[in-house]
Amino acid sequence: MAQRAYYEPGTNGVERLPTELNMFHASPLLMRAPHWHAQVEVNYIVKGWAHYRMSGHEVRFAAGDLALFWGGLPHCLDDASDDLVYAGGHLPLVHFFRLRLPQDVQSKLMQGATLVTHATDASDPLNFARWNEYARSGDPMKASMAVDELLLRIERIRFDAYTLLPGAADVVSAVDGLDHHSSPIVVRICEFITDNFREEIDSSDIASAADIHPKYAMNVFKKSTGMTLNDYVNLMRLSYAQALLIQDEANVLQVAMDSGFGSLSAFNKSFRKIAGMSPTDFRRELRCRPSTPVAVRANAFGPIN
């Protein structure tokens, strides 16, 4: 009997590409352990059902559900129907903060909520399939159209009924005081961090690139995302490092340096904070955990991210 294939962070996995918007339409592999990536994840369930362990809650998505959650917190697809097909994308914060969503929705998603809407229709499976095809076509115009149409579809959520899980009372409330100037500033901040997270950068560099005072940059970013600038820079680095660690030839010190950490101790400290274990233990855990002898779920529509 075939061994079950599990998802592993790989050379071309979403963890390695924290600055890119990529799309998928696939029968996903279950995860043996939680992972994280510095994008907001969009899931549309085409067929079947999926169960996720999120940071602080669990959620089950069924066919026709459209969901958003922040991938920067550890999450795990730990169970699913044999016929599961899902579609969607991974949105870097540069795109996420361009969305015209209610401010409280953006803030709560960044702080761990999961948004789910059942208000979908027969056009959604066709559209998600086309967007994935366009995104992978190699045609820049088609890829750009796919991104634009996906973002517009997400924005339409505000006009329909949706739920924030685990519930408004259980999610940290958004910080008051944001204004309409916040999102463009956050976008500029994210763009600079996207281009430079593997280099030695600090709040002064980031603020200068956004043409604002460092204190204001730290304040508006914290209010918008629930993270400090340093937290986000480290998350980008950790997402990138996570994919490097699974490679057989990877040296932990070299991974730390290649990911933008100035020292092994800083890397270990940041990694333990999000993963609850050292980088070495994380790699050992993924490599040593046995597979369950059941049928392999095939990827029928393209690479798993």
Side-chain angles (χ1 to χ4, degrees):
M1 183 173 288
Q3 296 288 309
R4 163 162 280 184
Y6 285 90
Y7 176 82
E8 306 284 10
T11 302
N12 298 312
V14 61
E15 303 85 3
R16 184 74 181 270
L17 306 169
T19 67
E20 295 186 18
L21 191 160
N22 58 80
M23 297 185 192
F24 54 85
H25 193 297
S27 296
L29 303 176
L30 298 184
M31 299 176 182
R32 294 188 294 185
H35 80 148
W36 59 92
H37 48 83
Q39 300 110 331
V40 172
E41 186 160 341
V42 182
N43 278 190
Y44 173 72
I45 307 301
V46 179
K47 184 179 181 182
W49 57 267
H51 183 274
Y52 277 92
R53 284 188 287 114
M54 302 296 190
S55 181
H57 67 284
E58 298 183 10
V59 61
R60 188 179 188 273
F61 304 140
D65 286 349
L66 177 60
L68 278 75
F69 58 88
W70 169 227
L73 295 173
H75 57 281
C76 181
L77 176 63
D78 64 351
D79 198 8
S81 62
D82 289 335
D83 62 345
L84 173 63
V85 175
Y86 76 165
H90 300 97
L91 306 181
L93 292 193
V94 166
H95 291 288
F96 180 64
F97 280 100
R98 288 183 174 131
L99 290 172
R100 291 167 293 184
L101 291 174
Q103 185 65 60
D104 67 316
V105 169
Q106 286 183 319
S107 298
K108 288 174 181 175
L109 285 173
M110 293 302 301
Q111 295 170 58
T114 299
L115 183 153
V116 184
T117 179
H118 309 299
T120 58
D121 57 43
S123 68
D124 282 310
L126 300 175
N127 286 332
F128 275 100
R130 185 178 70 253
W131 298 332
N132 180 66
E133 178 187 344
Y134 276 21
R136 298 178 183 277
S137 68
D139 183 325
M141 181 171 288
K142 282 187 174 181
S144 178
M145 286 182 177
V147 171
D148 290 344
E149 290 185 21
L150 173 64
L151 297 179
L152 286 170
R153 175 62 186 93
I154 295 169
E155 288 181 333
R156 282 195 359 241
I157 290 173
R158 71 181 300 154
F159 301 120
D160 296 310
Y162 59 82
T163 302
L164 286 171
L165 303 172
D170 300 315
V171 179
V172 178
S173 297
V175 180
D176 293 331
L178 292 173
D179 56 39
H180 67 283
H181 298 296
S182 298
S183 286
I185 292 171
V186 172
V187 168
R188 293 202 300 272
I189 289 172
C190 290
E191 285 175 336
F192 178 78
I193 294 174
T194 289
D195 292 337
N196 297 279
F197 73 91
R198 296 176 64 194
E199 308 299 326
E200 186 176 344
I201 56 174
D202 58 23
S203 58
S204 296
D205 300 320
I206 296 167
S208 177
D211 198 25
I212 53 177
H213 190 277
K215 188 173 181 179
Y216 183 63
M218 290 185 283
N219 186 43
V220 73
F221 194 81
K222 175 73 172 178
K223 286 180 176 179
S224 295
T225 68
M227 294 183 288
T228 66
L229 289 173
N230 189 58
D231 286 341
Y232 183 58
V233 172
N234 279 344
L235 178 62
M236 296 285 277
R237 292 169 174 167
L238 288 167
S239 183
Y240 187 81
Q242 181 184 186
L244 296 181
L245 282 170
I246 203 65
Q247 299 175 34
D248 290 336
E249 70 278 8
N251 173 278
V252 174
L253 176 59
Q254 192 61 50
V255 168
M257 298 300 106
D258 289 347
S259 303
F261 289 93
S263 69
L264 184 58
S265 61
F267 178 47
N268 283 330
K269 182 179 179 180
S270 294
F271 202 95
R272 282 183 180 277
K273 184 176 180 181
I274 191 169
M277 63 181 75
S278 71
T280 301
D281 289 341
F282 172 81
R283 181 167 59 182
R284 184 182 302 116
E285 182 88 357
L286 283 178
R287 289 179 177 176
C288 296
R289 209 173 283 183
S291 296
T292 305
V294 294
V296 174
R297 177 177 294 128
N299 172 20
F301 297 90
I304 294 289
N305 290 313

